[in-house]
Amino acid sequence: MIYQLFFHGPSFQVLENLNEIKGNIISTNVKIPNLPLFKDEELKTILIPRAIEAALQTAGLYDMFINNVVSLPSKIKNLEVYKETEAVFAEAEFLKIEERHSYFNVKIYDAEGEVIMVLEQLGMIHTSMPINLDEKGKKLFQMIKGYHEIRTKVDDEKVAVLPIHKVVEEYRKNKQELENKLVAYEKTRFTKISNEKRKMEYLAGVILAKELFSKYENITDFRSIEIKKKIKGQPYFFNRQIKEETDWYVSISHSNDFAVVSIEKQPVGIDIEKVEERSKSFYGEVFSDYELSKIADDHSLGTKYWTAKESLTKALGEGLHIKLKEIEFRYNDGKFDLKKYPSSLKQDQLHTSIETIEAAGYVVSKCVIKQYG
């Protein structure tokens, strides 16, 4: 759990985990320990100190991940307590930085989703303390920071991103529970994968795809929907209740720390790749002469071209059955225009929309086919 990296001692562990950072909003799950505040049980407080602590820590996490600074509570304009029910959720809105202070509005919610406390204009003063973590902590910190950078930059409600480590940790704790979310074809596929990393990537993709699907369709039981694959490897949603393929298209991709999924009512493909140096022989297999001349030694641009091509072949339902070198793009002002595609596909017209973002050392490309055939 994320909070364990930053807070020490049971009296201070009031955050269960970091939910999401999106734009200037951070949300956390709150878990107040069942411990007395004072040795003298007769002593009472007017406010709710551990709920306030959850608000302060939530704002502090935003400063650590986004503003790259360790901060401490310094001042506040107003604090309102509406109810004394148990705090389960915190949401902090970052407002501004001014004179070594970060300012936030913070709300604390109970299990019913009702606001129980509001902190207005909470000022967190920046300190010179370093963010001291061990190697495991540093890696996790960078991964979490990267996840939120990617999720914020994607800005597409039909795209979901998941750090694979979250699935790994959950699988270690609740192996049977996660495996029970798989059905028939999925369970067979999962069982046949011998490599542990690949197993977790597959599990992350399936769970993420079903979670995203459930946002748009009224399903409460993940087992009612099955993710199958067509002959050429294209995944699709199968409704197990009516025994039919749904009208949603789905695409899944993994790279190092992350899984990404996209769904659409039109053919869609998504691909994520880490930006890194790749061999010239690889480039020669993937890119046309024109593309090679543009990419040169720019590995960021090379990754963008590569993910754009991968996303297109996935949207077409062809995957690796098309040679990427036979596809040619022009890249201008952050947009890809398709200039050539394999003649074997025999399309009269092929209109695509390709969105590409780069964040946290990764590139994500999503292709939607607008007109085909």
Side-chain angles (χ1 to χ4, degrees), residues 87-102:
V88 298
F89 178 73
E91 184 178 82
E93 177 188 11
F94 170 68
L95 303 175
K96 61 182 177 180
I97 291 178
E98 190 176 85
E99 296 180 351
R100 291 184 58 216
H101 282 80
S102 299

Side-chain angles (χ1 to χ4, degrees), residues 17 37 55 60 113 145 153 179 192 200 202 206 227 310 342:
N17 68 333
L37 281 171
K145 183 177 174 67
K153 201 150 186 190
E179 288 189 3
K192 287 183 177 180
M200 293 300 101
Y202 176 79
V206 170
I227 297 177
E310 288 273 11

Side-chain angles (χ1 to χ4, degrees), residues 56 72-77 101-104 120-125:
L56 304 180
L72 297 172
S74 172
K75 51 188 174 181
I76 186 171
K77 182 178 180 180
H101 282 80
S102 299
Y103 288 90
F104 298 85
E120 294 181 340
Q121 293 284 326
L122 167 65
M124 302 287 289
I125 190 168

